[in-house]
Amino acid sequence: MRFESGWGTSGRRISASRWPLTTHHLGGCSPVTTPESDLVDGVPRTRIVIASMVGTTIEFYDFYAYATAAVTVFPHLFFPKGNPTTALLASLATFGLAFVARPLGSILFGHFGDRIGRKTTLVASLLVMGIATFLIGLLPTYHQVGLLAPALLAVMRFSQGLALGGEWSGAALLATETAKPGKRAWAAMWPQLGAPFGFLLANGVFLVLVLWLGHNNASPDLDGPFLSWGWRIPFLLSAVMVAIGLYVRLRLTETPVFARAIERGERVRTPLAEVFRNQWRQLIIGTFVMLATYTLFYVVTTWALSFGTGKKAANGGGLGIPYLEFLQLQLISVLFFAAMLPVTGYLADKFGRRVTLIVVTVGIMLYGCFFGPLLDPHSATATSTLVFLIIGMTLMGLTFGPMSAVLPELFPTNVRYTGSGIAYNAASILGAAIAPFVATWLATSYGVAWVGVYLLSAAALTLIALLVMRETRDTSLDDVGQFMP
């Protein structure tokens, strides 16, 4: 077996010529011979890729199911008092609660990921997310138990945030720490595919339910089948998906990079303290590198859904697009998100992470200038809205793809889980948690063009961070010590 650095976990170099091929079994099928270069500790890289991608797909499915329900369900069933805008903002506030929990999740799961290992921690994060999402599907509504309903919803949403705070960095490390030399961005692209795949699954299930049961978000029927019981189905389905994810992840072994670090005696007692003591600069840079990505995604998805399906008013209001039609537009656009991830994975390996992301970030800034023309409530059409969504999701794929390589490459192995997780999820508070809320307020108070200005400003901060950051493409994950970007 050969690892990225060419050394076994015992520190002894293993010759590729001794074991050029390895035979393994797939279930009860015939033996399959796999080239040694495609194995990591006897585990096929294909299985590692599937494990990283399936897990993130499930967790993002759970997360996006809530995001969709925060616009279409929860304002009516959990926050019904006051005017519709107030109910929507209250629902979006609980949506943002998960982003407050995510840095805490990265600290909690990061501690065990850096102390115990990547595999065990990833299994735990998947369980927490699955249980919380399943329980959301069983919650009583405001009309049944009063204020207890939104309180329980907030607890479940917080738990989702904790779990996702530990999921992303663990999946990214699973991919990067087992990648072939020179192919880290390509390998790290696979868990990133979990985001668009999870989005497609979550919104696809809601689309099927709306077609089957009927639902008009502009004129909701509280006694109709969708709001009575149908909305619970996407959350209850997560139990089946989590079982599949656990089956895949329990068949993995620990990453060789982490195993070598443990053998060298590099494990620290408190990874969090080590990060803030010696890697604080990487932490700040990594957080702001992610800022534009988060802001872009939650403006183009969660806020755009509420604005696109909102009623038109004398002062502009929303676009008045039927919920079913808008959901179809989003599903089309997210295909461009998924398609761009392999492209940017290839570009980041060929030209470097920094140059690739600088070009994309400038594109995001230019995109912010077109919010007014494309989404003006007085002139926007379904076609212009689709163009807006496609451009946004294309840019999202290009900026999101390299992140699971960039952030882990900033930190040494013994605090990589904690450091990359905190940077990723701290950006979620600055970029994602407040994005739908701020965008809704700006569009209502000053017009939709100011939402574009908001996105442009976030991208400008990311551009500054990228200009400060050094290139990390050629950094060995075993050699990242006191690396200073």
Side-chain angles (χ1 to χ4, degrees), residues 51 54-55 58 123 126 239-251:
V54 168
I58 294 169
V123 170
L126 186 61
V240 177
M241 300 177 69
V242 167
I244 296 172
L246 287 174
Y247 171 76
V248 174
R249 285 191 169 175
L250 286 171
R251 302 177 69 208

Side-chain angles (χ1 to χ4, degrees), residues 217-218 304-313 316-321:
N217 199 49
L305 177 61
S306 64
F307 180 77
T309 59
K311 293 181 179 180
K312 289 190 175 183
L319 300 182
I321 299 175

Side-chain angles (χ1 to χ4, degrees), residues 280-292 294 407 410-411 419 422-430 462 465:
W280 59 269
R281 191 163 179 255
Q282 295 96 303
L283 199 61
I284 294 173
I285 289 175
T287 297
F288 282 96
V289 163
M290 271 298 303
L291 179 62
Y294 264 124
L407 297 187
L410 291 175
F411 299 92
I422 293 176
Y424 182 84
N425 292 298
S428 75
I429 295 180
L430 300 176
T462 290

Side-chain angles (χ1 to χ4, degrees), residues 97-120:
L97 182 63
F99 294 98
V100 177
R102 282 171 66 161
L104 299 178
S106 64
I107 293 171
L108 174 64
F109 288 101
H111 176 84
F112 293 105
D114 286 326
R115 291 279 303 165
I116 299 175
R118 299 5 179 168
K119 173 188 171 180
T120 302

Side-chain angles (χ1 to χ4, degrees), residues 261-281:
I262 297 304
E263 289 185 358
R264 292 193 299 266
E266 295 177 356
R267 181 159 44 194
V268 296
R269 183 179 297 275
T270 53
L272 178 64
E274 178 69 18
V275 166
F276 281 103
R277 183 183 303 114
N278 294 317
Q279 276 80 43
W280 59 269
R281 191 163 179 255

Side-chain angles (χ1 to χ4, degrees), residues 71-88:
V71 174
T72 60
V73 176
F74 299 148
H76 310 302
L77 299 183
F78 289 83
F79 307 95
K81 289 190 174 183
N83 61 52
T85 300
T86 302
L88 175 61

